[in-house]
Amino acid sequence: MSTARGRLVVISGPSGAGKTSVCRSLKQRPEVEFSVSATTRRRREGERDGVDYHFLERDDFQKRIGENQFLEWASYNGNLYGTPRWPMDAALARGRTFLLEIEVKGTRQLRERGVEGLYVFIAPPSIDELRRRLVHRGSNEAAEIEQRVRIAEDELLAAREAVGGRPLYDVILENVDLATTIREVEARIWP
Ligand code: 5GP
């Protein structure tokens, strides 16, 4: 049996802060594997089932919670999101870097359970800039944008909390310039 042990990297940040772009860049590294979450939210244009998310009906998702299939799960903006358990275990056992892109409540569950890893929070330069990016992105309705801005304000506060005397995130990076932010995250993962 192999004793290789990879590294877990958790990346969070409000919608529009740039975390998906950071993750997209990290995924290009051959040693990185990416967690495909399950969600009850509806599929957006261009998203593929089993690649971007496992799109599940709510009762199916809830059944899987009962079966303890998720490493963590949380409700975000009225939908459920969860990390399937076994891909991470398998990837870490093979010595891979395993990337989770999850929101703050899910991260807190991992911290509370003492799951070892590098926890990174990508913050926007300001709330106004975040709103501007969400509007520019054009993939959300106006009401949903305001809802996401409100969630972002909560997440920015929650990200600075401590869990068991330890900061929830090891590093909080303000994403002013994407290339710089990516370099900073890479330097943390591969010092
Ligand atoms: P979106 O609907 O924009 O794809 O994702 C909404 C939020 O859910 C984002 O903050 C994203 O990082 C988070 N998210 C995606 N998958 C998971 C997951 O498996 N668990 C948790 N806790 N959050 C997730």
Side-chain angles (χ1 to χ4, degrees), residues 154-174:
D154 288 347
E155 289 198 316
L156 286 165
L157 289 176
R160 292 183 164 80
E161 289 172 3
V163 178
R166 200 174 164 190
L168 179 53
Y169 290 95
D170 298 303
V171 53
I172 298 180
L173 294 173
E174 204 171 279

Side-chain angles (χ1 to χ4, degrees), residues 39-111:
T39 184
T40 61
R41 90 148 155 71
R42 66 177 195 285
R43 203 165 60 83
R44 293 192 195 121
E45 178 118 13
E47 285 183 330
R48 286 168 299 165
D49 190 22
V51 177
D52 299 292
Y53 280 106
H54 300 289
F55 294 97
L56 301 180
E57 297 297 328
R58 205 173 179 92
D59 53 355
D60 188 5
F61 195 105
Q62 274 160 342
K63 183 171 142 275
R64 290 172 196 234
I65 294 173
E67 292 168 353
N68 201 21
Q69 285 194 25
F70 297 119
L71 185 66
E72 59 72 37
W73 67 272
S75 168
Y76 176 95
N77 207 12
N79 293 304
L80 303 178
Y81 294 81
T83 305
R85 200 178 278 282
W86 71 265
M88 180 177 98
D89 294 341
L92 295 184
R94 291 201 312 280
R96 313 279 288 167
T97 298
F98 197 69
L99 196 60
L100 294 188
E101 183 185 335
I102 63 175
E103 52 68 79
V104 176
K105 286 176 283 178
T107 307
R108 178 173 270 278
Q109 291 170 40
L110 298 182
R111 272 291 200 220

